[in-house]
Amino acid sequence: MLNRIDLSRSDLNLLVFFEVVLDERHVGRAAERLALTPSAVSHGLGRLRRLLNDPLFLRTPRGVLPTARAMELAGPIADILARARDVISTAEPFDPKNSTRRFTIGAPDGVTAVFLRPLLAELHRAAPGIDIGVRQLLPVPGEMSPERAWRTAFGDLEAGAMDIAVIPSFHIPTRFHARSLYDEDFVIAMRVGHPFADDPTLERYCEMQHLVVSFTGDPHGFVDEILATQGYSRRISLTVPNFMFALAVVADTDLISALPRRFVAMHAARFGVISLESPFPPTTFQLNAIAPRAAMMDAGLAWIFDLLAPKRAGSHNRLP
């Protein structure tokens, strides 16, 4: 892509400009991340366009769109930057059995409650000196676009605030390494003996009083969107900020709640909570473990990433 003559007189920081603008699809937001002015980023892109002999990004009313050539270059440039970052970083030999490192993993609490227990069991067996920090991740309030809802997680990863994030997003920028952890859908959780279990129809479901897990207190969730398409609605009697508290409340009340299937399967029994299949069409989503490509050059991080999200053997992951 770049010949010797170009490299001898070119600023390779321009590739960083390319990476960030490709991710943000907006020069202004890219400038904010780079702590530069939009004019400085535009000037840098102009130099990069001349260097690579392509417009790279086309302006639109909402930002910029990458050209076909830019999309072709995205992978190679991400690899170049990952290797460059690795060259200037220091790395010590990693021995999991003797390591005393600490890794921070970020995820929504309902996801952490699924992967943490088996992960800790594996660490106790293979790396008893390694410690784990858990960081709760929240979507951007009011953000309906999936590729934007978890954008703070990407920034925190690049800033080193955490090592790995596990998020329900299909939109992973090319500068991140990603692997599917598991697929998830929802079941209806309720206390033992709840009358809804005797007649779990959609009509009866809508007659019940509901609990919704909402980090902001907003009672409107994805279930309400599904019900609205069928001409139904429900009453949200209570919102709580996390999934484990939701189980505790459901166990002691007549409230019912749509909760993640794997989370309920692992933790409902201790609360005396049961679950039924959803009476409305299920929504399935994928949980992805992600880490910066550059950081994956660290043997220790690569090891803990593989432990958390091992490559699939057939159709099953080791964790959870």
Side-chain angles (χ1 to χ4, degrees):
M1 183 175 65
L2 299 177
N3 59 39
R4 292 180 183 273
I5 297 175
D6 288 329
L7 286 174
S8 70
R9 63 172 184 252
S10 300
D11 180 2
L12 294 186
N13 282 324
L14 298 179
L15 299 186
V16 178
F17 284 24
F18 174 92
E19 181 183 60
V20 177
V21 173
L22 180 66
D23 180 30
E24 294 292 340
R25 301 292 205 274
H26 194 281
V27 172
R29 290 197 296 264
E32 289 178 8
R33 274 183 46 188
L34 292 165
L36 296 170
T37 65
S39 62
V41 174
S42 295
H43 179 69
L45 288 178
R47 293 168 59 197
L48 190 60
R49 290 182 178 110
R50 292 190 292 274
L51 181 65
L52 299 178
N53 194 31
D54 188 87
L56 297 177
F57 299 99
L58 305 176
R59 292 186 180 278
T60 73
R62 294 181 178 271
V64 295
L65 288 176
T67 65
R69 178 59 175 156
M71 295 305 298
E72 290 175 1
L73 293 171
I77 286 178
D79 289 339
I80 290 170
L81 291 175
R83 292 179 181 276
R85 288 163 179 148
D86 183 54
V87 167
I88 62 176
S89 66
T90 58
E92 297 179 357
F94 179 75
D95 177 8
K97 291 184 178 180
N98 297 306
S99 176
T100 57
R101 289 181 61 176
R102 182 181 186 85
F103 296 96
T104 299
I105 302 173
D109 76 289
V111 177
T112 304
V114 172
F115 71 70
L116 188 59
R117 186 167 66 187
L119 175 64
L120 292 178
E122 286 293 315
L123 288 175
H124 179 73
R125 179 189 63 81
I130 287 180
D131 296 325
I132 297 295
V134 172
R135 180 186 178 107
Q136 184 175 8
L137 298 185
L138 306 176
V140 176
E143 181 60 74
M144 300 302 294
S145 173
E147 65 270 24
R148 299 287 297 168
W150 298 95
R151 64 181 183 272
T152 55
F154 300 125
D156 287 346
L157 284 168
E158 291 185 309
M162 58 187 171
D163 300 295
I164 300 170
V166 182
I167 55 176
S169 176
F170 290 100
H171 302 272
I172 311 298
T174 56
R175 66 185 185 282
F176 290 94
H177 179 76
R179 191 176 299 164
S180 171
L181 191 59
Y182 62 91
D183 294 332
E184 185 64 284
D185 63 354
F186 284 80
V187 293
I188 310 305
M190 68 205 75
R191 64 170 174 81
V192 173
H194 196 290
F196 177 67
D198 297 329
D199 184 24
T201 63
L202 181 57
E203 289 75 13
R204 285 276 290 149
Y205 174 82
C206 294
E207 293 172 0
M208 297 294 106
Q209 295 186 40
H210 297 260
L211 178 153
V212 167
V213 176
S214 171
F215 308 117
T216 63
D218 181 0
H220 191 82
F222 77 94
V223 172
D224 301 284
E225 298 288 340
I226 296 173
L227 294 177
T229 63
Q230 302 184 47
Y232 290 96
S233 63
R234 59 178 181 163
R235 175 188 170 189
I236 309 301
S237 299
L238 178 69
T239 66
V240 297
N242 63 69
F243 288 96
M244 203 65 77
F245 186 37
L247 281 180
V249 174
V250 165
D252 292 332
T253 67
D254 282 335
L255 298 173
I256 65 175
S257 184
L259 298 175
R261 181 184 299 274
R262 291 199 185 206
F263 168 75
V264 170
M266 291 184 70
H267 300 286
R270 76 178 76 170
F271 292 92
V273 170
I274 62 171
S275 66
L276 298 176
E277 293 297 320
S278 167
F280 50 83
T283 297
T284 301
F285 55 95
Q286 186 179 82
L287 275 302
N288 290 307
I290 64 172
R293 288 184 182 273
M296 288 294 289
M297 300 293 183
D298 177 340
L301 178 60
W303 185 86
I304 196 75
F305 190 97
D306 285 340
L307 193 67
L308 174 67
K311 295 179 180 178
R312 290 181 182 270
S315 60
H316 299 284
N317 274 357
R318 189 159 146 213
L319 295 176

